[in-house]
């Protein structure tokens, strides 16, 4: 079954999009465990992006930087869209936040990443 068909998927999206990063991580991780590639890598990317934001909330910029970079790497093969999601928009938001971290700027000043429907 595609993750998009999983009844837990809409709730996981809602948690991610509301900035409930820890809860989103938990929700997507449950789905991730049941997947095979390429969906497994994509869900793992989303998990890593959520966990990176947990690190940001806790002031762990090094952990956030590492996980944002890993998330981007796992996201790239699925661009521009998969699972009905606009992954280009997600990639842009995450890459902008990663660049801010790497340059010493505040990534929280930028719009947070969101999982939005592909057009």
């Amino acid at each position: 079954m595609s993750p998009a068909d999983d009844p837990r998927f809409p709730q996981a999206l809602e948690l991610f999009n509301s900035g409930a990063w820890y809860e989103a991580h938990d929700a997507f991780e449950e789905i991730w465990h049941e997947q095979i590639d390429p969906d497994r890598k994509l869900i793992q990317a989303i998990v890593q992006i959520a966990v990176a934001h947990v690190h940001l909330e806790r002031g762990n910029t090094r952990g956030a930087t590492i996980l944002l970079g890993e998330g981007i790497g796992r996201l790239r093969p699925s661009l521009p869209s998969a699972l009905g999601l606009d992954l280009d928009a997600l990639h842009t938001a995450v890459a902008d936040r990663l660049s801010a971290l790497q340059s010493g700027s505040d990534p929280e000043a930028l719009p947070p990443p969101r999982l939005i429907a592909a057009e």
Side-chain angles (χ1 to χ4, degrees):
M1 163 173 46
S2 166
D5 297 327
D6 188 307
R8 299 169 293 182
F9 193 72
Q11 176 66 23
L13 289 175
E14 187 177 311
L15 290 166
F16 189 98
N17 289 337
S18 70
W21 303 116
Y22 190 85
E23 294 81 0
H25 148 263
D26 279 347
F28 275 111
E29 192 169 60
E30 282 183 25
I31 296 167
W32 171 73
H33 283 294
E34 299 166 9
Q35 301 307 310
I36 58 171
D37 288 335
D39 292 339
R40 183 174 171 85
K41 284 193 173 107
L42 173 55
I43 298 296
Q44 185 178 13
I46 294 168
V47 168
Q48 288 177 314
I49 292 165
V51 173
H53 285 83
V54 172
H55 285 306
L56 278 177
E57 288 175 344
R58 296 177 179 173
N60 179 1
T61 55
R62 183 173 172 354
T65 301
I66 291 167
L67 284 171
L68 288 177
E70 289 180 2
I72 286 172
R74 284 193 174 82
L75 188 62
R76 278 192 188 115
S78 297
L79 296 175
S81 66
L83 306 178
L85 300 172
D86 180 347
L87 299 179
D88 275 340
L90 177 63
H91 182 274
T92 298
V94 173
D96 288 349
R97 284 186 159 218
L98 177 59
S99 293
L101 277 169
Q102 292 169 329
S103 69
S105 300
D106 179 12
E108 300 287 352
L110 299 168
R114 295 289 178 251
L115 295 166
I116 58 173
E119 293 183 17

